[in-house]
Amino acid sequence: MSRAGAAMEVPDEHEGVAHEHPHGHGDGHGHPRAPGHDHDHDHGDPRHHGHDHDHRGAPLRRLIAAFALTTSFLVVEAAVGWWSKSLALLADAGHMLADAAALGLAIIAQRIAAQARTRARTYGFRRAEVLAAFANGIALALTAIWIFFEAVHRWREPQAVHAEALAITAALGLLVNVVAAVLLSTGEGGHNINTRAALAHVLSDALGSVGAMAAGVLILAFGWTRADSAISAGIGALVLWGGWRLVRDTSRVLMEGSPIEIDLAHVEDTIRSVPGVLDFHDLHVWSISDGFNVLTVHVVLAKGHHGTDVAAAVSRRLRERHALTHCTIQPEPLQEERLVTLRRPRAGAPGGDAPAGDRSGG
């Protein structure tokens, strides 16, 4: 068997050791390994599982702390907003409710995503994080629509607003949002799409609290009651923008589009630059979840090069230049065209027709 036809594992970036797997052997997870593929990844190494759980545990603890803080102030802001008849404060409370829902979904998704992969779900439950962030974006958009409708109604029919309660409660809400933002943006253990989505909620809500404070000041200073409606519409625009960004980014992952941080043209140039690569086809790059990008490609080998060496070189180059650590490289030999010459059988040859004179029998 040629080296191009064997299934192979390139050196793991943590271990620096290459593993050869002949046909019929598994991949270490109970699944048969397809021949001729090079896999450059390390999620199957049980020694890395503890690190992965620690990485996910830190964002989870921050999400829980931010959720507790946001939920505790939500009821206060909604009650004061209803009593003071301030749409800006109610809008900010609605936004904070979306924050609490976002954080709750993120916590649930984080727990689900941490589950081990199974035979039915070979990538595990990583997409749960993306689905939760997508739902968060939809929730933000719906909240913004409600704010716009209510702002138009309040503009047409202004209502008296208790400006002092509005300003004080908005200031307290800003403080809560700042503390929650600090919790989500600091600490060890990294960040994922859920912590960033929750942080986007909290930061936009902080801007909403600033707007509510401004509305209270304008009403106190100038008696302009429509400031409450006008600033509420601005808060709604912030909420809508945050929701649109989340839906856009998560839809790209769910539709398996190329990761936005990956330039596919540069990836193609990188593959072509590897010695031994004559051509390639079936190149696909997509994301399983935030930070987990996957690449598959078939490379055509130049004469005199072995599949194992070329596949390992392609994987190494992609990891170094594009941070692609989960690559499946399928080496293929060059299929040369062969011409088949058809010749007319000679007279009297086996399978040929006898001369006309022989058929006469004379």
Side-chain angles (χ1 to χ4, degrees):
M1 178 183 291
S2 67
R3 297 176 69 185
M8 47 239 163
E9 186 85 15
V10 301
D12 183 271
E13 61 178 333
H14 296 287
E15 301 177 8
V17 179
H19 303 283
E20 293 281 347
H21 297 278
H23 293 297
H25 282 61
D27 65 354
H29 302 291
H31 306 293
R33 181 186 296 276
H37 287 72
D38 172 85
H39 299 275
D40 181 21
H41 54 84
D42 61 4
H43 72 275
D45 189 345
R47 287 174 293 178
H48 299 298
H49 288 179
H51 172 76
D52 185 63
H53 289 317
D54 290 340
H55 176 79
R56 293 179 180 272
L60 180 60
R61 288 190 292 270
R62 293 198 295 269
L63 286 170
I64 292 174
F67 176 77
L69 185 63
T70 302
T71 305
S72 63
F73 190 77
L74 168 62
V75 177
V76 175
E77 190 171 38
V80 175
W82 183 268
W83 174 76
S84 64
K85 298 182 180 181
S86 170
L87 177 60
L89 205 56
L90 287 173
D92 196 38
H95 194 187
M96 191 166 283
L97 176 61
D99 290 346
L103 291 166
L105 284 172
I107 291 170
I108 294 172
Q110 191 82 12
R111 298 297 297 271
I112 293 174
Q115 297 181 23
R117 72 194 193 109
T118 65
R119 289 181 180 273
R121 293 177 175 84
T122 56
Y123 281 114
F125 297 85
R126 292 174 178 265
R127 279 277 170 91
E129 299 177 358
V130 182
L131 289 172
F134 181 81
N136 293 344
I138 297 296
L140 280 173
L142 293 176
T143 302
I145 293 173
W146 173 80
I147 293 172
F148 289 144
F149 275 107
E150 191 65 21
V152 171
H153 175 71
R154 292 289 187 94
W155 181 270
R156 291 176 178 174
E157 300 178 6
Q159 298 184 16
V161 177
H162 197 296
E164 294 86 351
L166 167 60
I168 294 173
T169 307
L172 293 176
L174 176 62
L175 179 61
V176 170
N177 287 318
V178 169
V179 174
V182 171
L183 286 173
L184 292 171
S185 61
T186 60
E188 298 180 357
H191 303 272
N192 57 22
I193 194 170
N194 268 314
T195 56
R196 289 199 295 272
L199 182 60
H201 277 271
V202 171
L203 290 177
S204 61
D205 195 23
L207 292 176
S209 297
V210 172
M213 290 173 58
V217 172
L218 288 174
I219 295 173
L220 284 173
F222 305 103
W224 186 36
T225 55
R226 280 195 172 94
D228 185 65
S229 301
I231 291 179
S232 297
I235 296 174
L238 291 174
V239 175
L240 185 62
W241 171 246
W244 159 247
R245 290 184 60 188
L246 282 177
V247 171
R248 179 196 63 189
D249 295 344
T250 53
S251 295
R252 189 182 187 95
V253 176
L254 294 174
M255 295 300 293
E256 297 192 344
S258 299
I260 193 170
E261 71 274 13
I262 299 293
D263 189 327
L264 203 58
H266 289 170
V267 172
E268 293 176 350
D269 293 339
T270 297
I271 296 174
R272 289 193 182 95
S273 68
V274 176
V277 175
L278 183 65
D279 198 2
F280 65 89
H281 59 92
D282 290 326
L283 172 63
H284 302 284
V285 186
W286 71 100
S287 295
I288 300 301
S289 64
D290 183 57
F292 184 12
N293 298 328
V294 179
L295 178 145
T296 62
V297 66
H298 291 224
V299 296
V300 180
L301 303 174
K303 289 185 177 180
H305 290 81
H306 294 288
T308 304
D309 300 332
V310 173
V314 170
S315 294
R316 185 168 54 252
R317 194 74 62 86
L318 290 171
R319 182 173 63 248
E320 293 171 352
R321 294 188 179 181
H322 305 283
L324 288 166
T325 58
H326 192 106
C327 300
T328 302
I329 313 299
Q330 171 69 59
E332 297 178 352
L334 176 64
Q335 299 295 328
E336 296 180 344
E337 295 183 356
R338 296 182 179 180
L339 297 179
V340 179
T341 303
L342 299 178
R343 296 180 179 178
R344 180 178 298 174
R346 296 192 302 273
D353 294 334
D358 292 342
R359 293 197 202 99
S360 64

